[in-house]
């Protein structure tokens, strides 16, 4: 049985967490380049935890420049088994108000300028993204967030846009009225796809900061408004993390949803046709099946 090892990927406003014991900032090299920053590792009441600031400390990386593959590879390489993404987002629903937490269970991927797979020519794989987040992990995080005092919405569709500009009013209306999106952000894709390829359980907490630009009673979103709401959201996020040890087993048992076996049915390239260089790069992500 392996140890459970939880990674938090902190989004805008969440650049560090406190309360960990035996801490170390670890620099990890990956075949996909350097991650967004060093990774903070430690334990919380005996639960192994890692923390990675998605945009780097000081928020130096825009959403298109985040090295998503290096981030997920580095976490997998460290032995992480579960990833909890905590992100700022805009809301398309009146009832999902600034300050609320939405437990994402679906995505619409509108990103266009990012490397979105570890696989490719020389080793082709097609994982299922039908259920892109891990249900059991999401349940535990939702419980922790509720205990932390957050208003939690169970289930929501996150539209991932390229950015860095915010949406036009026409786009905002289309995503909300016709596409069924509940929240919008710029980072959860391809992160969730890569986590699935790396056979990591992935949960996403979308922390609402604004109503984007569709709401007739609210001004169109601006960074300054987001930052104001982010401070409170980041405090609730830290309290949520503090509740996790009481809710999560220390041992990693097989994921009931099969996140940890996603590659069992995904590889299609004949073994004798595989590219040795790519296979070497896939050592951490897909070593279990290669
Ligand atoms: C600072 S507002 C826009 C920025 O915030 C969100 O980042 P993250 O998902 O990492 O919290 C959003 O996706 C944009 O990147
Ligand atoms: N309205 C919005 N659109 C895209 N990303 C966001 N992050 C926070 N608010 C956002």
């Amino acid at each position: 049985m392996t140890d459970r090892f939880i990674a938090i990927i902190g989004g805008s406003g969440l650049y560090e967490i406190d309360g960990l014991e035996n801490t170390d900032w670890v620099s990890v090299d990956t075949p996909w380049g350097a991650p967004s920053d060093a990774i903070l590792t430690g334990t919380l009441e005996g639960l192994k935890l890692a923390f990675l600031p998605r945009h780097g400390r000081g928020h130096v990386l825009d959403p298109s420049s985040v090295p998503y593959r290096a981030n997920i590879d580095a976490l997998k390489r460290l032995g992480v088994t579960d990833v909890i993404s905590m992100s700022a987002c805009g809301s398309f629903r009146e009832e999902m108000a600034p300050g609320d937490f939405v437990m994402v269970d679906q995505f619409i991927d509108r990103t266009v300028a990012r490397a979105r797979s570890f696989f490719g020519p020389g080793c082709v794989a097609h994982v299922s993204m039908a259920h892109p987040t891990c249900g059991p992990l999401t349940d535990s995080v939702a419980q922790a967030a509720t205990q932390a005092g957050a208003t939690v919405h169970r289930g929501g569709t996150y539209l991932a846009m390229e950015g860095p500009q915010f949406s036009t009013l026409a786009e905002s209306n289309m995503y909300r009225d016709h596409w069924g999106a509940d929240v919008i952000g710029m980072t959860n894709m391809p992160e969730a796809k890569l986590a699935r390829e790396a056979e990591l359980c992935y949960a996403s907490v979308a922390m609402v900061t604004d109503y984007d630009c569709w709401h007739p009673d609210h001004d169109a979103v601006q960074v300054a408004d987001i930052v104001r709401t982010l401070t409170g959201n980041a405090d609730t996020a830290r309290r949520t993390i503090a509740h996790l040890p009481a809710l999560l087993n220390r041992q990693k048992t097989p994921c009931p949803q099969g996140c940890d076996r996603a590659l069992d049915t995904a590889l299609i390239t004949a073994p004798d046709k595989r590219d040795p260089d790519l296979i070497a790069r896939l050592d951490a992500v897909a070593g279990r099946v290669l």
Side-chain angles (χ1 to χ4, degrees):
M1 196 90 72
T2 51
D3 284 348
R4 190 168 208 169
F5 190 177
I6 305 286
I8 313 286
I9 300 183
S12 299
L14 191 61
Y15 307 111
E16 51 193 83
I17 57 172
D18 41 29
L20 296 194
E21 293 171 335
N22 312 309
T23 54
D24 200 7
W25 282 94
V26 191
S27 295
V28 185
D29 279 334
T30 88
W32 317 95
S36 298
D37 204 332
I39 299 171
L40 177 69
T41 61
T43 56
L44 198 57
E45 296 165 35
L47 179 69
K48 290 175 77 175
L49 269 182
F51 176 81
L52 173 61
R54 180 184 284 125
H55 302 274
R57 281 167 286 178
H59 204 121
V60 288
L61 296 168
D62 63 275
S64 307
S65 309
V66 170
Y68 296 97
R69 290 191 299 188
N71 287 352
I72 295 295
D73 179 292
L75 296 175
K76 180 84 182 182
R77 209 167 276 283
L78 283 177
V80 161
T81 56
D82 302 67
V83 173
I84 302 170
S85 153
M86 305 189 101
S87 308
C89 71
S91 167
F92 293 132
R93 305 287 158 218
E94 183 85 50
E95 67 278 15
M96 295 176 176
D100 290 3
F101 283 15
V102 180
M103 304 307 305
V104 174
D105 62 354
Q106 282 297 330
F107 293 103
I108 299 171
D109 187 0
R110 285 259 300 166
T111 63
V112 292
R114 304 170 189 193
R116 56 191 60 257
S117 179
F118 291 108
F119 298 91
C123 189
V124 178
H126 303 281
V127 295
S128 171
M129 287 302 294
H131 303 288
T133 57
C134 177
L137 179 63
T138 300
D139 287 345
S140 300
V141 180
Q143 231 180 308
T146 304
Q147 290 171 359
T151 298
V152 176
H153 302 269
R154 304 294 291 265
T157 297
Y158 175 117
L159 188 133
M161 62 180 292
E162 186 63 45
Q165 302 85 357
F166 293 116
S167 306
T168 65
L169 178 58
E171 288 165 339
S172 198
N173 282 331
M174 179 180 74
Y175 299 150
R176 165 185 145 77
D177 295 337
H178 300 292
W179 287 20
D182 298 303
V183 295
I184 183 165
M186 303 178 189
T187 61
N188 277 203
M189 283 292 174
E191 191 173 87
K193 288 177 173 168
L194 296 166
R196 177 58 51 82
E197 287 188 346
E199 301 191 314
L200 297 169
C201 292
Y202 183 86
S204 168
V205 188
M207 305 182 290
V208 178
T209 50
D210 56 85
Y211 281 115
D212 201 44
C213 61
W214 64 271
H215 200 301
D217 301 335
H218 291 264
D219 290 338
V221 58
Q222 295 202 18
V223 167
D225 311 320
I226 292 181
V227 169
R228 253 192 305 280
T229 316
L230 271 178
T231 313
N233 285 357
D235 287 345
T236 315
R238 285 193 195 90
R239 287 200 306 278
T240 298
I241 294 165
H243 282 281
L244 288 175
L247 295 163
L248 294 173
N249 289 334
R250 301 297 181 268
Q251 249 74 55
K252 181 68 180 174
T253 50
C255 171
Q257 200 180 304
C259 303
D260 54 352
R261 300 179 298 284
L263 292 176
D264 274 356
T265 53
L267 294 172
I268 191 162
T269 305
D272 62 321
K273 296 285 186 191
R274 292 179 185 165
D275 170 11
D277 290 343
L278 178 54
I279 299 302
R281 277 149 67 93
L282 289 167
D283 62 336
V285 160
R288 188 186 74 80
V289 292
L290 288 175

